[in-house]
Amino acid sequence: MTSTLPPVGPTPANASGRDDLLRYLDASTTLQSSSAEVAELEQSDGVAEYNRQLELLRRRLLAEPQAFREMFISDGMSAVAWEFTQPELGADFTRSLWSMLRRGDDASTVLMRFLWNLPLGKKRLFIRAIDKHLSDRYPMFDGLSDGWPASTSIPPYVRDAESRATDFGLVNQGYLGYMSLGYTREDIDLFVWLEALRDKQCAEKPCELGIFLANHREPKGGCPVKIHIPQILELIGNGRFQDALELIEGSNPLPNVTGRVCPQELQCQGVCLHKENPIQIGQVEWFLPQREKLVNPDSITARFAEIPDPWDRAEKPPVAIVGSGPSGLINAYLLAAEGFPVTVFEAFHALGGVLRYGIPEFRLPNDLIDDVVNKITLLGGRFVSNFVVGKTASLQDLRDAGFWRIFVGSGAGLPRFMNVPGEHLLNVMSANEFLTRVNLMQGLRPDYETPLPDTEGKQVIVIGGGNTAMDAARTARRLGGDVTIVYRRTQAEMPARVEELHHALEEGIHLKVLRGPSEFIGDVETGFVKATTLDVMELGEPDESGRRRPAATGKTETMLADLVIMALGNDANPIIKDSEPRLHTSKWGTIELSEQGSQETTLAGVFTGGDAARGGSTAIRAAGDGQAAAREIVGSIDVDPTTIAAMVASAKTYTDTASTAQRVIATSELSDGIHEFTVHSPVIAQAAQAGQFVRVLPRPDGELIPLTLADWDAEAGTICLVVQGMGTSSFEINQMVVGDSFTGIAGPLGRPSDVHRYPEGSTVVFTAGGLGLPPVFPIMRKHLETGNHVTLIAGFRSGDLMFWTGEDERVGRIKAQYGDQLEIIYTTNDGSFGVPGFVTGPLKELLEANTRGEGRTVAEVVTIGPPMMMRAVSDLTKPFGVPCVASLNSIMVDATGMCGACMVPVIIDGKLVRKHACIDGPEIDSHLIDWEKFLPRFGLFKTQEQRSRVAHGF
């Protein structure tokens, strides 16, 4: 076939147009020829087989993309590996490599794995490259290569001192804090991965195991909860963040708690082979769960969704955990994860123990404690709040209720004081009380009723040098105080974490070292502290801890103070010890263990750990004890399936009963401003004894207040409270109606009345002033039941305000029951009913009659009512040599001895001694009380309470 050429003519103006035409005609001819050939070849056997293989390849790519991805990644990694053979990594390659690492996909994981497995020299090559080429985008990379990996790293994000010192936001925000600067979560993953890249994978694992010491002593450093630190760092180094989290939570269910409050510089990081700049193990530890909340917010719920409720399965015996602090929480979690039905009994209305009441939210946000509680709940764990073991129930009561084993993690909790003159003054308080008012009771918030000392612009002194002192000082600073920490040694000897002290000084807190208070000076008119006398100290010879002893030089100085916070540590709280004499304790009051290497106490089946056994220690050591106890309990089941089922059923019933809502089932107004409440509270009703009281929280944002138990009915499961509207909380209680529930009522608290039989011809006299009649009633009844003659002198302001006195009312009914065994005398201030005047009038007549040998001998006087009345009764009885006890409901916060707020100054052998109404009382020998020092305490928060009443329209 001959192609037809265009006619010859003049040359076109654009010669290239003719050339394009010729190429087009040639290509068309070739295409026609090729199409014919392709059509012919498609019919051949070889091409048909090729097409079949291509289709199979396409299908496999869709079904198994991972196989092809690995092939392509492998090819790409060969190119990456080649780059690492060069002396330096180029800018373009470094940026491309970092971009791939940030993707968060399989390719980035392979790159992480590749870099993790490089020799140290090649890792340094990479670090030099990101330092050189990425520092403009990531300022934290600038200088990273200088001394890496031993002495340089990316620090966690810490808020600047100026902004953080005036709020309660988290200070050390960890690696995730960089997100507030605009970095992505993928960036943060790489910051943590770079920290893991520093790890040497030491064969000795000192960070995990510690450094072993001779004579079977506890290792130096290491991890008390046995987290597999090198393995976790290896998993992170290989990009396996989720696997690292699962591994850590297998040992420790609260890493985002312990990672923040553990003194890593003394534990894992303290023995890190990177001496100059240890790996940030604690930061990595709490980063992992927080990262998981970002990546998969529902992961915890999903992970535990299919786990059956151990209470329903009833395959393992139930365990009671006393206290929801770090040791109790980890013990409960590990046992619940093993399928044990567990109930955690907590004395406060909110869970977390010292983690919540002792540690401010700028160090440990409360929602992290809630996360741990949620995990335990999802595993089937139960929680009973407002339950004080040793008071609400004894350890034996819990065993009798069906609990097979008990773990006691009740903490230490009894604050130390110095016993120097002036400690009774107002605004001299324990760090426990101060922090509890702020942290647990949220006194810093205007919508909460808990009163706080006024700190704005005030001079605040914190005595002590430990972590609690730092927490108290930094809290007072945030509340507007001008804060000084006073410490009797030098800064080098301070036991506080280096980070906490550093942050405190950054925030403008002053430090006065080699000083110790020898006296607190008060304002004579108000009773408030106004200054302190400080002894100037010097360091002498080392003590048993290795620190040099402080010694007084004889010099003193005076320092002004509006608020003094004592942060001197804690002694063991005696409540559990006193309730169970079979439990051996040390001379310091801590619970003794049966043998070394065990967490079991001398009482078989009862285990302990944390501060209850150690005294003042750390949260991480407490968690380690709880973990160790869980291991012992898991491996010691010694009951048959039938018995287990019965125990579980019994313990479940008890748990349900103890958890019941404390609901108002009846109420009435006794007189103007005074209301009586009958409240459903079966476990308190079962345990109540004459003379005890309860700690009441009417609503979540209310104030904790003590109220005496006026009566109870164990069979009906009810208690009776009588409330006089005085402050905001009591006014609000009096507005409650049938069906309303209290947020929490804890008790019965305090020591029961010491009631014993007196000789015939004697009488026990009760002086009850106004609202003193309800607390007098059960004690009086107990004396009558014992066989004692009782004389009741009940005083009211006027006849209109009298209550419980009618024939069909409580006093009238008990008079009808006991007849002449009970003599009743009523007094009114205005003379409108009974004897005109005060209760001291008839009492004086009885005492004077005794001196003449007339009437029944007054064997004892019990006085309850307004503080001034109790003092008057005490002063009256003392010259007659008649024993007199006063029942004291002074200011309290926790009412279990933990806060030290209810201090009662007493004189014993000529020395002023502290007693506490909630532990030593409420009944205390009135003749020992220094009333001049005690009475002003009732006015401690008078100004704050007045402000609250005005704000609420009362």
Side-chain angles (χ1 to χ4, degrees):
M1 180 177 178
T2 303
S3 61
T4 304
L5 297 176
V8 179
T11 302
N14 185 359
S16 63
R18 184 173 182 277
D19 292 341
D20 290 343
L21 177 60
L22 290 173
R23 285 198 301 272
Y24 169 74
L25 294 172
D26 287 343
S28 296
T29 301
T30 302
L31 179 60
Q32 291 173 9
S33 173
S34 298
S35 296
E37 187 176 0
V38 167
E40 182 180 348
L41 289 173
E42 280 181 343
Q43 306 305 315
S44 68
D45 293 340
V47 173
E49 179 62 25
Y50 168 77
N51 285 331
R52 284 196 297 272
Q53 292 295 331
L54 194 63
E55 176 61 20
L56 287 173
L57 187 63
R58 186 186 70 81
R59 291 178 182 177
R60 187 180 174 197
L61 179 61
L62 292 173
E64 301 178 71
Q66 185 64 33
F68 291 89
R69 188 180 297 118
E70 293 292 343
M71 179 179 69
F72 298 134
I73 288 173
S74 178
D75 290 342
M77 289 308 301
S78 297
V80 172
W82 181 86
E83 292 283 350
F84 274 84
T85 64
Q86 306 306 303
E88 297 291 338
L89 301 181
D92 290 342
F93 173 76
T94 301
R95 293 189 183 99
S96 296
L97 177 61
W98 187 260
S99 179
M100 289 289 292
L101 285 167
R102 289 182 71 249
R103 284 171 49 175
D105 58 9
D106 289 345
S108 62
T109 301
V110 170
L111 282 171
M112 288 183 185
R113 190 180 306 150
F114 167 77
L115 291 164
W116 169 263
N117 288 302
L118 286 175
L120 182 59
K122 297 300 182 182
K123 290 178 181 175
R124 285 197 176 108
L125 185 70
F126 170 66
I127 298 299
R128 283 199 302 272
I130 65 172
D131 183 343
K132 182 177 181 180
H133 303 303
L134 296 177
S135 292
D136 56 340
R137 181 177 172 186
Y138 300 95
M140 65 284 294
F141 292 175
D142 188 14
L144 184 62
S145 59
D146 298 335
W148 189 92
S151 57
T152 57
S153 65
I154 300 172
Y157 177 71
V158 179
R159 295 172 60 211
D160 68 274
E162 186 177 355
S163 65
R164 74 185 190 234
T166 55
D167 65 37
F168 282 79
L170 188 61
V171 171
N172 186 334
Q173 298 191 338
Y175 291 108
L176 285 169
Y178 284 109
M179 293 182 72
S180 65
L181 302 182
Y183 295 100
T184 67
R185 197 265 305 160
E186 290 76 15
D187 287 324
I188 310 304
D189 279 359
L190 292 180
F191 296 167
V192 175
W193 170 75
L194 285 170
E195 186 65 14
L197 210 60
R198 299 175 60 218
D199 184 51
K200 300 175 71 171
Q201 291 289 290
C202 314
E204 297 84 2
K205 303 180 182 180
C207 56
E208 177 181 336
L209 303 176
I211 297 174
F212 292 96
L213 304 174
N215 302 322
H216 303 287
R217 288 180 296 165
E218 196 171 67
K220 176 185 176 182
C223 180
V225 291
K226 306 298 185 292
I227 293 172
H228 304 307
I229 296 169
Q231 193 174 346
I232 287 165
L233 293 172
E234 181 183 18
L235 289 169
I236 293 172
N238 283 282
R240 297 167 59 187
F241 291 92
Q242 178 64 38
D243 292 339
L245 174 63
E246 291 179 4
L247 179 61
I248 198 172
E249 288 194 329
S251 303
N252 177 18
L254 46 155
N256 51 358
V257 172
T258 56
R260 294 173 193 248
V261 300
C262 170
Q264 289 95 3
E265 68 274 12
L266 301 178
Q267 302 294 155
C268 53
Q269 294 173 199
V271 291
C272 180
L273 296 190
H274 290 315
K275 300 295 184 185
E276 186 177 348
N277 185 11
I279 293 174
Q280 296 284 329
I281 297 168
Q283 296 292 329
V284 171
E285 179 185 352
W286 70 261
F287 160 78
L288 290 169
Q290 293 303 97
R291 174 189 184 272
E292 181 67 9
K293 289 172 74 172
L294 287 176
V295 176
N296 186 0
D298 299 322
S299 63
I300 294 177
T301 302
R303 194 190 325 166
F304 297 136
E306 302 302 322
I307 295 178
D309 189 330
W311 293 93
D312 293 337
R313 297 184 70 181
E315 295 177 350
K316 294 182 179 179
V319 179
I321 290 97
V322 180
S324 65
S327 64
L329 288 177
I330 195 169
N331 184 265
Y333 175 89
L334 295 173
L335 290 174
E338 290 290 334
F340 285 84
V342 299
T343 299
V344 181
F345 295 94
E346 167 58 44
F348 276 126
H349 58 282
L351 304 171
V354 69
L355 298 174
R356 190 177 296 268
Y357 75 73
I359 302 179
E361 288 207 80
F362 57 77
R363 277 219 295 140
L364 179 65
N366 284 337
D367 61 353
L368 301 185
I369 304 169
D370 298 335
D371 286 346
V372 181
V373 171
N374 183 45
K375 290 178 187 177
I376 297 170
T377 303
L378 290 170
L379 286 168
R382 306 285 186 91
F383 291 90
V384 178
S385 56
N386 298 293
F387 192 106
V388 184
V389 174
K391 293 294 184 180
T392 313
S394 66
L395 297 177
Q396 187 59 50
D397 290 335
L398 296 180
R399 295 295 292 268
D400 293 343
F403 289 100
W404 168 68
R405 295 286 185 263
I406 300 172
F407 175 78
V408 178
S410 52
L414 194 65
R416 294 181 189 140
F417 288 84
M418 299 182 68
N419 289 324
V420 299
E423 270 189 330
H424 66 280
L425 291 168
L426 307 186
N427 272 4
V428 177
M429 62 174 54
S430 72
N432 283 5
E433 178 186 0
F434 180 68
L435 291 172
T436 298
R437 288 181 178 276
V438 176
N439 300 336
L440 177 72
M441 298 309 302
Q442 296 291 298
L444 72 163
R445 291 174 51 178
D447 53 335
Y448 275 66
E449 293 307 320
T450 301
L452 282 181
D454 289 335
T455 51
E456 184 73 37
K458 303 293 186 179
Q459 296 294 321
V460 181
I461 296 178
V462 177
I463 312 296
N467 291 327
T468 301
M470 299 304 115
D471 287 340
R474 296 173 70 195
T475 297
R477 170 72 179 86
R478 282 159 172 76
L479 294 173
D482 183 2
V483 184
T484 301
I485 296 171
V486 174
Y487 184 57
R488 61 183 184 157
R489 291 184 169 97
T490 70
Q491 183 173 337
E493 282 83 25
M494 294 183 80
R497 293 188 65 189
V498 173
E499 178 187 50
E500 300 305 319
L501 176 57
H502 174 67
H503 286 168
L505 297 177
E506 277 189 331
E507 291 164 5
I509 292 167
H510 314 295
L511 182 60
K512 187 178 281 290
V513 297
L514 290 173
R515 300 292 188 274
S518 58
E519 181 182 9
F520 298 108
I521 303 164
D523 186 302
V524 176
E525 293 183 4
T526 66
F528 280 85
V529 67
K530 66 177 184 180
T532 178
T533 301
L534 299 176
D535 285 338
V536 179
M537 318 294 283
E538 63 182 4
L539 293 182
E541 296 300 316
D543 61 15
E544 59 276 3
S545 71
R547 295 183 301 167
R548 295 172 65 189
R549 296 177 186 274
T553 63
K555 300 177 182 178
T556 63
E557 60 186 44
T558 301
M559 185 176 181
L560 297 179
D562 300 302
L563 171 64
V564 177
I565 301 172
M566 310 293 279
L568 303 170
N570 296 293
D571 292 322
N573 191 296
I575 287 180
I576 289 181
K577 170 181 70 72
D578 290 350
S579 70
E580 180 46 85
R582 294 174 296 173
L583 206 61
H584 292 183
T585 55
S586 70
K587 63 181 180 180
W588 300 282
T590 54
I591 300 173
E592 290 186 345
L593 303 177
S594 60
E595 59 183 87
Q596 188 175 2
S598 172
Q599 296 301 136
E600 191 169 18
T601 69
T602 54
L603 189 57
V606 177
F607 297 76
T608 191
D611 288 357
R614 293 177 177 269
S617 187
T618 62
I620 194 64
R621 290 196 176 278
D625 291 345
Q627 181 192 72
R631 290 197 187 101
E632 283 189 79
I633 292 170
V634 164
S636 63
I637 297 178
D638 56 2
V639 285
D640 61 80
T642 302
T643 303
I644 288 174
M647 294 175 80
V648 170
S650 176
K652 183 176 185 296
T653 299
Y654 188 85
T655 298
D656 292 341
T657 301
S659 302
T660 188
Q662 290 163 310
R663 190 179 66 257
V664 177
I665 61 175
T667 181
S668 62
E669 184 173 15
L670 300 180
S671 66
D672 186 27
I674 298 177
H675 291 245
E676 177 182 327
F677 296 89
T678 302
V679 182
H680 180 61
S681 188
V683 290
I684 295 179
Q686 189 67 41
Q689 297 185 62
Q692 291 184 298
F693 64 96
V694 289
R695 185 193 70 216
V696 177
L697 181 64
R699 53 187 175 82
D701 54 355
E703 178 186 357
L704 285 172
I705 55 176
L707 292 174
T708 306
L709 280 168
D711 205 352
W712 57 89
D713 186 330
E715 187 175 337
T718 61
I719 60 176
C720 174
L721 305 176
V722 177
V723 183
Q724 182 174 16
M726 299 289 287
T728 299
S729 292
S730 54
F731 280 129
E732 291 184 338
I733 290 175
N734 282 350
Q735 291 177 345
M736 295 177 72
V737 298
V738 173
D740 288 346
S741 294
F742 289 85
T743 293
I745 301 177
L749 301 172
R751 295 180 181 274
S753 297
D754 182 15
V755 177
H756 51 273
R757 185 75 167 87
Y758 284 110
E760 293 292 333
S762 63
T763 186
V764 178
V765 178
F766 288 86
T767 61
L771 205 65
L773 181 57
V776 154
F777 178 78
I779 311 171
M780 177 178 72
R781 180 176 59 194
K782 183 66 176 177
H783 275 276
L784 291 169
E785 291 171 352
T786 305
N788 291 328
H789 182 277
V790 169
T791 301
L792 170 64
I793 308 174
F796 298 90
R797 287 197 307 249
S798 68
D800 295 339
L801 298 176
M802 296 175 66
F803 60 89
W804 281 15
T805 56
E807 291 184 2
D808 293 331
E809 297 178 312
R810 278 184 168 82
V811 175
R813 290 197 298 268
I814 203 170
K815 171 63 176 174
Q817 180 179 357
Y818 286 96
D820 292 341
Q821 191 181 338
L822 172 62
E823 181 181 353
I824 302 174
I825 302 171
Y826 292 115
T827 70
T828 53
N829 296 3
D830 62 1
S832 56
F833 188 89
V835 179
F838 302 105
V839 295
T840 48
L843 175 61
K844 184 178 181 181
E845 291 182 6
L846 292 175
L847 294 171
E848 289 177 343
N850 278 184
T851 61
R852 299 191 300 269
E854 300 172 0
R856 290 181 174 273
T857 303
V858 177
E860 176 187 7
V861 175
V862 180
T863 181
I864 307 178
M868 289 298 293
M869 183 214 78
M870 291 190 289
R871 179 184 183 171
V873 170
S874 179
D875 290 345
L876 175 61
T877 55
K878 193 172 184 178
F880 290 93
V882 174
C884 180
V885 297
S887 184
L888 308 174
N889 266 4
S890 54
I891 294 168
M892 302 182 187
V893 178
D894 76 298
T896 65
M898 184 276 293
C899 70
C902 59
M903 190 274 284
V904 182
V906 301
I907 307 277
I908 298 179
D909 297 330
K911 294 180 62 177
L912 191 67
V913 178
R914 296 179 68 94
K915 285 187 177 291
H916 295 94
C918 65
I919 291 294
D920 304 300
E923 293 179 6
I924 291 179
D925 185 341
S926 72
H927 297 155
L928 299 180
I929 298 171
D930 188 328
W931 290 95
E932 289 291 338
K933 294 180 173 62
F934 178 60
L935 289 177
R937 298 194 65 79
F938 291 91
L940 175 57
F941 294 117
K942 184 177 181 180
T943 300
Q944 292 87 332
E945 290 168 351
Q946 176 62 24
R947 287 199 297 258
S948 176
R949 285 195 296 269
V950 171
H952 288 80
F954 293 127

